[in-house]
Amino acid sequence: MRLISLVNAVLVTVALFLLVFERDALFAFAGRAEADETSATESPEPTSDASDKSAVNVVALRSVAREIDSAVLLRGQTKANRQVEVLAETTSTVISEPKRKGTFVEAGDLLCELDPGTRPASLAEAMAAKLEAESRIPEAEARLEEAHALVAEAEINLTAAQRLSETGFGSETRRVASQAAMRTAEAGIKTAEAGLEATRAGIEAAIAEVEAARREIDRQTIEAPFKGLLESDTAELGSLMLPGSLCATVIQLDPIKLVGFVPETEVNRVIVGSEATAQLVTGLQVAGRVSFLSRSADETTRTFEVEITVPNPDLTIRDGQTADIRIASEGTKAHLLPQSALTLSREGQVGVRTIAAGNIVAFQPIQLLRDTSEGVWVDGLPETVDIIVIGQEFVTAGVKVAPTYRNLTE
């Protein structure tokens, strides 16, 4: 009894080994045996045709590679082309009626008008000070000319005193006095020049005060920086505005941007200017072009920001909507196959079994490109190839088959 149990165990082990590790060879042997038995019982043929009758029946698909676009797929969101918070630059109260959010504004439209207060009086005072400073220029120039005349006179007197002193007709005291007068006249020139420069500096200061007063008056009107849409109400009538207080928020939605992040493995496939399409969560299909691709990766996700500019004349696209983005990339040729045609080699590599010359089976590894409802797009195969789509699990490389061809839609 123990001997019978041992024999049974050995037989079971051998059967499991054949089913697990030699499954393809076992099925191929079974297929050939069945074909031989059928040919022997149904229609015996001459020995020369025995090899053809032993071929395994399979269904094959003759596939021709087709051009597909290998688009870069991203998930992103819409973003306003521009958005700015318009702030006050001075202190005053609002004297204009507020505009409500949702209002369209053009560049230069008045958003908030502030009480001018004493600003006009300050401007008038600064302009008067400027005129007064400019009126001092002729006086300062006249003093400079007078100083130059005194220097010339002192120079003449000094020359005469020196000659008289040398000939003995003039005293030494007179010569020294003439030299002192010369130095005094020269100092007068420097004083006059300094007075002229001070007058000119006063004019520059007055001009700066005038510009500051005008700038302060300009700050009492806050205008829209660009054409857009009010995202918030403008400041209420009578509210006090301080430097940095919010007057309104303006956004621009035409054009609008689609923002996504490209993995570093696909960033080289995205080119600025490439066409792109997107489908919003509302079902709306939009199209645009890549306008920006970041040169620096995000430190956390190691992805690169990409922006796509899309026309939005009717403002149907809103800021912050989720979008599935497709960026066009260089196309490639691939085969469309049913998923059931895929199989594994003994080494666990994904591929398909093809029919080579003489109806001999071969294994071809493939690369999966895209999965669709019609099938899978694969690469790594010749331009035209016969692929076994039914019966590929029962044959191995080197086995001869009798293929029946069909279309992909069958």
Side-chain angles (χ1 to χ4, degrees):
M1 294 296 293
R2 295 182 59 185
L3 178 61
I4 295 175
S5 300
L6 181 59
V7 172
N8 289 337
V10 171
L11 292 176
V12 170
T13 302
V14 172
L16 290 176
F17 174 81
L18 293 176
L19 286 176
V20 174
F21 295 100
E22 299 295 334
R23 179 177 57 124
D24 294 338
L26 182 62
F27 287 157
F29 176 78
R32 284 196 298 268
E34 181 180 354
D36 291 342
E37 182 181 353
T38 302
S39 61
T41 56
E42 293 183 358
S43 56
E45 297 291 338
T47 308
S48 58
D49 296 333
S51 59
D52 296 335
K53 296 302 180 177
S54 64
V56 180
N57 293 323
V58 294
V59 178
L61 170 70
R62 179 158 294 171
S63 176
V64 179
R66 289 181 282 173
E67 186 81 17
I68 64 168
D69 73 24
S70 52
V72 178
L73 305 180
L74 306 174
R75 191 167 181 84
Q77 65 178 11
T78 59
K79 184 178 181 181
N81 189 46
R82 290 180 176 178
Q83 179 168 342
V84 63
E85 293 181 344
V86 186
L87 307 178
E89 299 181 79
T90 187
T91 302
S92 189
T93 55
V94 179
I95 60 174
S96 61
E97 291 292 334
K99 289 182 172 60
R100 299 306 175 187
K101 54 187 175 183
T103 304
F104 291 94
V105 294
E106 297 288 339
D109 283 358
L110 179 66
L111 299 179
C112 298
E113 183 178 4
L114 306 182
D115 184 10
T118 60
R119 292 176 181 84
S122 299
L123 176 60
E125 182 181 357
M127 295 182 68
K130 176 176 173 288
L131 292 175
E132 181 182 359
E134 289 174 345
S135 66
R136 294 175 183 171
I137 287 290
E139 180 182 357
E141 291 177 343
R143 288 178 181 175
L144 181 59
E145 292 178 359
E146 180 183 1
H148 280 289
L150 292 176
V151 168
E153 180 183 359
E155 186 177 3
I156 293 172
N157 293 334
L158 177 59
T159 302
Q162 288 177 343
R163 290 180 179 177
L164 291 175
S165 177
E166 292 174 355
T167 58
F169 294 99
S171 63
E172 184 67 19
T173 303
R174 182 179 178 182
R175 186 183 66 79
V176 173
S178 297
Q179 290 179 342
M182 181 65 181
R183 288 194 291 270
T184 301
E186 291 175 347
I189 289 179
K190 293 183 178 181
T191 302
E193 290 177 345
L196 180 60
E197 290 299 325
T199 302
R200 289 173 177 169
I203 294 176
E204 295 295 330
I207 292 175
E209 290 180 0
V210 170
E211 292 299 323
R214 286 176 176 169
R215 176 59 179 161
E216 191 65 20
I217 289 179
D218 292 340
R219 288 172 176 169
Q220 75 185 42
T221 56
I222 304 176
E223 301 174 345
F226 50 80
K227 179 181 178 181
L229 183 71
L230 288 180
E231 188 67 9
S232 66
D233 294 341
T234 60
E236 189 59 56
L237 175 66
S239 58
L240 176 64
M241 303 292 285
L242 300 174
S245 298
L246 178 65
C247 168
T249 300
V250 183
I251 62 174
Q252 186 183 72
L253 297 178
D254 183 27
I256 198 167
K257 294 186 292 186
L258 302 177
V259 181
F261 292 88
V262 185
E264 57 183 336
T265 56
E266 299 190 31
V267 67
N268 289 336
R269 297 174 56 198
V270 179
I271 301 175
V272 174
S274 299
E275 296 182 355
T277 59
Q279 181 174 358
L280 306 183
V281 292
T282 58
L284 179 65
Q285 296 280 349
V286 297
R289 290 188 177 273
V290 176
S291 56
F292 171 75
L293 177 61
S294 175
R295 292 286 178 177
S296 176
D298 183 271
E299 294 183 358
T300 303
T301 62
R302 310 307 303 169
T303 55
F304 295 81
E305 183 179 7
V306 61
E307 293 182 357
I308 301 161
T309 302
V310 176
N312 188 28
D314 52 0
L315 305 184
T316 54
I317 308 174
R318 302 175 183 272
D319 181 28
Q321 288 183 290
T322 304
D324 292 324
I325 304 171
R326 292 172 56 90
I327 302 175
S329 183
E330 184 177 355
T332 184
K333 283 193 172 182
H335 293 265
L336 178 62
L337 305 177
Q339 293 183 355
S340 59
L342 305 184
T343 185
L344 293 175
S345 68
R346 294 184 180 181
E347 294 76 21
Q349 189 175 15
V350 179
V352 293
R353 289 193 169 89
T354 62
I355 302 176
N359 290 342
I360 301 301
V361 177
F363 179 82
Q364 292 280 352
I366 54 93
Q367 178 184 0
L368 294 175
L369 298 181
R370 190 183 306 169
D371 188 2
T372 66
S373 58
E374 294 83 11
V376 290
W377 289 94
V378 301
D379 191 13
L381 299 175
E383 183 80 12
T384 302
V385 62
D386 294 339
I387 302 169
I388 302 175
V389 294
I390 297 179
Q392 71 274 16
E393 296 294 345
F394 304 105
V395 294
T396 58
V399 174
K400 190 171 184 178
V401 293
T404 301
Y405 291 91
R406 71 171 178 83
N407 296 326
L408 180 61
T409 57
E410 292 181 359

